[in-house]
């Protein structure tokens, strides 16, 4: 976990005052990397030698030291041959890549994964990034080729934002680093509408701010400073795609064993760290699987951390305690309604954009407790298991629907009967959770919206595989990893995701659906592959999200907050919401109408965020303009 910032002038040059400003923008996210900082101006284009303080590329870095804690890991880092890198993330297979590169004649001077990236680029170019197994957002400046290469990991785990202004391009780990560069602060109304009406975040390249976009996952952006045509100086290239493995002759038993091998190896390489590692344990199947795998591959009893509610029945503590009874050390942190009111604005500052629900605040509180009361820096998470293993209830019903469309009525009936027998998905269906997947649904919060934007087509899927890929790339994983990155970064922590190892993801997405949804059970292959997991967890029937008593709070403690906020609504001033109609909608919610609490929570969160950004300006912290001396690094030709 680190924070990066960069600036590129494609036709002209920056000067000394620009350098000072860029240092300030880098340091805006000092909490992401409190251990070290670096700021580097470079000149790639020819420049008048009489003007020594001019430069056309700036790289900034705030480092959280995880691998090789020495000063050798200082960034921006050079390969000594004209390439520089500023980098946020971890490459988990760096040891294997290092051995491969050493066999090809490369020599290394540090123990970092950062240096390995530079050597991968030297050997294979930017197309070699598909060899990296990890999470990353980095910029490599190739002074000899006079170009900058920006790269982002496959599954949107590490953030990388862009702002283009004429022939200048800026990038950063967080939106707040780019806000002071905007000519004006303007809400992206389409992004806000998709969020309020469909609960969508990070589903495309657009952000909540006009002019600021995100680099797509699995993509390199190449910026050339040696092109005669300015319009051709920026190019996007995908370096990774899902591969279709086709049919297999392997037996179910062999596929289960292959899954187990891949999953355990994913956990094993994500335990690589020179600082202490812990595990986030929710009580769900995925985090319990990660905890079980850690014990198997490392023989370790890592400390686990859990968030629980002060309202009985709104968390999974009974399942957390099952792991504790199996000998797993655990620490529970209690989340209360006061934490919502006290911490929401702080969470929104770190997130830069609205969050989907109050559980994100609970996660923020959990990370705060881990930071304050332990010496753990790295945490393993079960994020991504639901998307890859068909864990969400919607996948079960998509599968039933597709079987019926294909005329496989007996198979559909067997699946439904098995689910009823085991009291799994069929017993947990809620219409409110399915509405976002109904193509013509204009109910709910749409009634209070002032805009009638085109809906994102979340319902589109030819088959289960395409539905999974859509969730992994657009509708689920990017939002979840956004929260986890910002909440952990706010407390100088790093979160790793064994279920988002690209080898495992590609393998599981291409498995027959029957190995993931089997006889009424979801995530069947995971259950089959881990006999070491306590049976109460391995065969738990219900699927429960990361819950907080959101509905209770919205009907009790938060009532006066909502009524006060929407008597002078910022969203109404921005022409997004009819505040009077929303309060009428809220009144129906209070009287027990079948309105999802998430509809109300999203609007409240968006209102507080909009007031924070467009009224108080809290997201635009002034940058100190302290003069800083620097030396421009000339291009190596």
């Amino acid at each position: 976990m680190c924070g990066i910032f960069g600036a590129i002038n494609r036709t002209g040059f920056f000067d000394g005052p620009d350098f000072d400003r860029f240092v300030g923008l880098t340091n805006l996210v000092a909490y992401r990397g409190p251990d070290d900082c670096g700021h580097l101006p470079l000149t790639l284009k020819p420049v008048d030698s009489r003007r020594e303080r001019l430069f056309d590329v700036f790289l900034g870095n705030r480092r959280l030291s995880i691998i090789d804690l020495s000063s050798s890991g200082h960034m921006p880092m050079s390969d000594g041959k004209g390439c520089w890198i500023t980098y946020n993330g971890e490459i988990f297979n760096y040891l294997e890549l290092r051995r491969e590169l050493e066999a090809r004649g490369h020599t290394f001077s540090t123990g970092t994964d950062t240096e390995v990236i530079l050597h991968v680029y030297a050997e294979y170019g930017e197309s070699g990034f598909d060899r990296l197994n990890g999470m990353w957002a980095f910029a490599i400046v190739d002074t000899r080729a006079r170009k900058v290469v920006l790269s982002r990991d496959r599954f949107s785990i590490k953030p990388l934002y862009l702002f283009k202004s004429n022939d200048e391009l800026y990038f950063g780990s967080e939106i707040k680093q780019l806000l002071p560069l905007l000519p004006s602060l303007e809400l992206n109304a389409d992004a806000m509408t998709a969020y309020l009406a469909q609960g969508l975040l990070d589903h495309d390249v657009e952000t909540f701010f006009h002019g600021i976009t995100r680099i797509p996952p699995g993509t390199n952006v190449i910026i050339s400073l040696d092109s005669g045509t300015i319009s051709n100086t920026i190019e996007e290239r995908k370096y990774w795609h899902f591969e279709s493995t086709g049919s297999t002759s392997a037996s179910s038993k062999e596929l289960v064993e292959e899954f187990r091998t891949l999953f355990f190896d994913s956990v094993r390489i994500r335990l690589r760290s020179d600082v202490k590692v812990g595990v986030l344990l929710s009580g769900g199947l995925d985090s319990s699987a990660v905890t079980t795998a850690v014990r198997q591959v490392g023989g370790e009893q890592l400390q686990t951390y859990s968030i629980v509610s002060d309202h009985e029945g709104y968390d999974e503590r009974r399942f957390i305690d099952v792991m504790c009874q199996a000998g797993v050390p655990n620490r529970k942190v209690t989340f209360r309604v006061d934490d919502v009111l006290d911490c929401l604005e702080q969470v929104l500052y770190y997130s830069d954009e609205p969050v989907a629900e109050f559980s994100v605040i609970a996660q923020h509180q959990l990370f705060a407790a881990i930071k304050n009361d332990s010496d753990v820096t790295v945490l393993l998470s079960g994020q991504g298991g639901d998307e890859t293993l068909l864990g969400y209830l919607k996948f079960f019903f998509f599968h039933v629907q597709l079987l019926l469309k294909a005329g496989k009525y007996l198979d559909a009936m067997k699946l439904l009967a098995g689910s009823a027998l085991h009291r799994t998905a069929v017993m947990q269906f809620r219409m409110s959770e399915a509405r976002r997947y109904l193509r013509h649904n204009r109910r709910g919060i749409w009634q209070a919206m002032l805009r009638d934007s085109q809906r994102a087509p979340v319902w589109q899927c030819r088959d289960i595989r395409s539905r999974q890929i859509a969730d992994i790339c657009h509708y689920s994983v990017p939002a979840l990893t956004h929260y986890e990155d910002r909440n952990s970064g706010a407390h100088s922590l790093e979160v790793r995701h064994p279920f988002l190892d690209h080898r495992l993801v590609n393998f599981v997405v291409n498995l027959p659906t029957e190995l993931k949804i089997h006889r009424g059970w979801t995530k069947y292959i995971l259950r089959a592959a881990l006999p070491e997991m306590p049976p109460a967890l391995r065969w738990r029937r219900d699927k429960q999200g990361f819950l907080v008593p959101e509905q209770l709070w919205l009907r009790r403690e938060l009532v006066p907050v909502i009524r006060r906020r929407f008597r002078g609504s910022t969203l109404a001033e921005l022409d997004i919401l009819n505040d009077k109609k929303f309060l009428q909608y809220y009144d129906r919610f209070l009287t027990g109408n079948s309105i999802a609490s998430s509809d109300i929570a999203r609007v409240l969160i968006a209102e507080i965020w909009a007031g924070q950004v467009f009224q108080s300006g809290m997201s635009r912290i002034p940058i100190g303009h302290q003069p800083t001396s620097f030396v421009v690094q000339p291009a190596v030709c």
Side-chain angles (χ1 to χ4, degrees):
M1 172 68 72
C2 296
I4 68 174
F5 174 81
I8 303 164
N9 196 320
R10 292 181 287 157
T11 58
F13 294 92
F14 301 117
D15 57 20
D18 290 319
F19 178 85
D20 296 335
R21 192 180 198 203
F22 298 160
V23 169
L25 293 169
T26 303
N27 292 336
L28 262 185
V29 295
Y31 47 82
R32 294 181 69 94
D35 297 327
D36 190 18
C37 63
H39 315 102
L40 178 71
L42 293 161
T43 52
L44 274 65
K45 300 189 299 291
V47 61
D48 189 336
S49 61
R50 294 171 296 179
R51 304 183 66 186
E52 295 178 356
R53 286 173 63 86
L54 295 183
F55 60 100
D56 49 17
V57 175
F58 173 91
L59 297 181
N61 186 274
R62 296 292 317 202
R63 185 188 181 205
L64 180 66
S65 302
I66 302 289
I67 294 172
D68 189 343
L69 309 185
S70 73
S71 59
S72 298
H74 177 78
M75 287 185 278
M77 180 184 288
S78 172
D79 67 352
K81 298 177 182 178
C83 287
W84 294 84
I85 184 173
T86 183
Y87 160 50
N88 167 33
E90 301 290 347
I91 305 305
F92 303 117
N93 65 333
Y94 77 102
L95 293 177
E96 290 81 2
L97 288 171
R98 179 175 174 137
R99 287 194 289 270
E100 173 189 319
L101 290 162
E102 285 174 334
R104 289 175 168 267
H106 291 252
T107 58
F108 292 81
S109 58
T110 77
T112 67
D113 58 328
T114 312
E115 188 181 10
V116 170
I117 298 172
L118 283 169
H119 284 263
V120 166
Y121 176 75
E123 183 69 27
Y124 305 109
E126 60 264 14
S127 62
F129 299 157
D130 67 348
R131 297 171 177 266
L132 307 179
N133 184 338
M135 51 187 190
W136 69 84
F138 60 72
I140 291 178
V141 179
D142 187 335
T143 61
R144 291 168 298 181
R146 292 181 179 171
K147 67 179 180 179
V148 180
V149 180
L150 307 179
S151 184
R152 193 174 182 212
D153 63 58
R154 298 171 179 86
F155 304 126
S156 303
I157 302 174
K158 289 296 141 195
L160 191 53
Y161 294 97
L162 288 179
F163 168 58
K164 301 171 189 174
S165 176
N166 298 320
D167 294 330
E168 297 169 5
L169 184 144
Y170 303 91
F171 60 89
S173 292
E174 296 190 9
I175 291 174
K176 64 176 60 65
Q177 296 171 283
L178 304 180
L179 290 181
L181 300 166
L182 294 175
S184 62
L185 197 61
E186 185 180 350
L187 175 69
N188 185 334
D190 288 338
M192 178 60 80
T193 300
Y195 163 76
L196 290 176
Q198 296 181 268
L200 296 179
L201 288 160
D202 285 28
H203 66 290
D204 59 21
V205 299
E206 296 296 318
T207 71
F208 281 70
F209 298 91
H210 267 301
I212 297 177
T213 58
R214 58 178 62 82
I215 290 180
T219 300
N220 297 327
V221 176
I222 297 95
I223 304 104
S224 173
L225 279 76
D226 197 27
S227 172
T229 307
I230 296 304
S231 60
N232 296 329
T233 59
I234 300 178
E235 181 183 358
E236 280 191 13
R237 297 177 192 164
K238 293 286 286 187
Y239 63 82
W240 186 82
H241 300 271
F242 282 91
E243 296 176 2
S244 180
T245 55
S247 58
T248 175
S249 59
S251 66
S252 294
K253 183 178 180 181
E254 290 170 330
L255 291 172
V256 169
E257 188 57 39
E258 187 174 353
F259 170 84
R260 177 183 171 94
T261 300
L262 280 171
F263 180 57
F264 277 22
D265 192 58
S266 174
V267 171
R268 179 185 65 82
I269 63 176
R270 280 163 179 78
L271 289 171
R272 290 172 171 170
S273 171
D274 293 330
V275 294
K276 194 169 180 180
V277 180
V279 180
L280 298 171
L281 179 63
S282 70
L285 185 61
D286 300 331
S287 63
S288 300
V290 171
T291 304
T292 301
V294 166
R295 301 174 81 187
Q296 295 301 310
V297 303
E300 301 172 80
Q301 296 283 68
L302 293 187
Q303 181 71 37
T304 63
Y305 301 88
S306 308
I307 189 85
V308 296
S309 172
D310 59 348
H311 286 271
E312 196 86 17
Y314 280 90
D315 55 43
E316 302 185 272
R317 72 180 75 202
R318 67 191 187 281
F319 293 108
I320 296 167
D321 289 341
V322 170
M323 290 300 291
C324 295
Q325 291 159 12
V328 173
N330 178 256
R331 190 204 158 186
K332 296 183 182 72
V333 176
T334 302
F335 185 61
R336 300 176 174 84
V337 67
D338 290 344
D339 296 328
V340 174
L341 301 174
D342 292 343
C343 299
L344 179 54
E345 289 198 358
Q346 186 180 12
V347 168
L348 290 172
Y349 170 75
Y350 288 113
S351 181
D352 288 324
E353 298 177 288
V355 299
E357 53 195 10
F358 292 151
S359 62
V360 179
I361 310 168
Q363 186 188 72
H364 179 87
Q365 291 299 90
L366 175 60
F367 287 142
I370 293 171
K371 182 64 178 179
N372 292 335
D373 303 331
S374 79
D375 56 353
V376 164
T377 303
V378 171
L379 294 153
L380 268 59
S381 163
Q383 209 71 269
D386 283 316
E387 292 79 7
T388 55
L389 294 163
L390 301 182
Y392 292 128
L393 299 180
K394 67 184 180 190
F395 287 127
F396 180 89
F397 294 104
F398 279 138
H399 185 40
V400 171
Q401 183 185 46
L402 290 169
L403 287 173
L404 292 172
K405 281 184 177 180
K408 298 180 179 180
Y409 304 113
L410 183 59
D411 290 340
M413 292 305 107
K414 284 181 179 178
L415 193 59
L416 290 167
S419 178
L421 176 66
H422 297 304
R423 303 194 302 280
T424 56
V426 167
M427 313 302 290
Q428 301 165 52
F429 175 76
R430 298 290 183 274
M431 188 62 199
S432 61
E433 296 179 6
R435 281 182 184 147
R436 70 185 285 189
Y437 298 99
L438 300 178
R439 182 168 189 169
H440 300 294
N441 176 48
R442 289 280 176 174
R443 299 175 61 190
I445 200 63
W446 279 103
Q447 301 165 37
M449 304 289 291
L450 292 174
R451 294 172 54 86
D452 191 22
S453 299
Q454 185 174 353
R455 300 180 68 214
V458 297
W459 53 82
Q460 285 183 354
C461 63
R462 301 183 308 276
D463 49 36
I464 285 291
R465 182 178 182 273
S466 64
R467 174 73 264 166
Q468 285 188 269
I469 291 173
D471 269 21
I472 292 166
C473 295
H474 300 290
Y475 299 127
S476 182
V477 167
L480 294 171
T481 52
H482 179 131
Y483 306 147
E484 217 156 42
D485 174 85
R486 304 312 186 278
N487 280 336
S488 58
H491 299 99
S492 307
L493 299 171
E494 176 176 282
V495 179
R496 300 174 174 181
H497 312 85
F499 283 106
L500 293 179
D501 184 305
H502 69 281
R503 302 169 301 167
L504 185 69
V505 172
N506 202 79
F507 173 75
V508 177
V509 160
N510 286 298
L511 283 175
T513 303
E514 291 68 30
L515 270 174
K516 291 171 279 189
I517 298 177
H518 184 69
R519 295 180 180 175
W521 294 102
T522 60
K523 302 183 186 176
Y524 180 77
I525 193 169
L526 179 63
R527 302 174 196 264
L530 289 175
E532 301 90 349
M533 191 186 300
L537 283 164
R538 187 183 178 202
W539 299 106
R540 66 171 290 186
R541 297 178 171 90
D542 61 321
K543 167 60 189 165
Q544 187 168 301
F546 188 38
L547 292 184
V548 295
E550 182 177 85
Q551 189 172 93
L552 282 179
W553 295 341
L554 290 168
R555 285 186 166 142
R556 297 196 313 212
E557 291 92 341
L558 295 176
V559 172
V561 176
I562 292 172
R563 296 209 183 281
R564 184 176 69 252
R565 281 278 180 177
F566 287 93
R567 278 198 292 267
S569 167
T570 305
L571 290 177
E573 292 176 12
L574 293 167
D575 294 324
I576 297 295
L577 191 77
N578 184 316
D579 47 6
K580 291 183 177 60
K581 285 187 177 180
F582 170 72
L583 286 173
Q584 292 169 4
Y585 186 69
Y586 180 53
D587 285 338
R588 296 203 301 275
F589 168 80
L590 292 176
T591 57
N593 195 290
S594 58
I595 292 172
S597 62
S598 58
D599 274 6
I600 308 299
R602 279 200 308 276
V603 177
L604 175 60
I605 290 167
E607 176 65 30
I608 293 173
W609 173 82
Q612 186 181 26
V613 174
F614 294 98
Q615 298 294 336
S616 65
M618 287 176 62
S619 288
R620 304 189 76 179
I621 292 181
I623 301 170
H625 195 77
Q626 300 299 320
T628 311
S629 61
F630 68 91
V631 176
V632 176
Q633 298 287 336
V636 177
C637 300

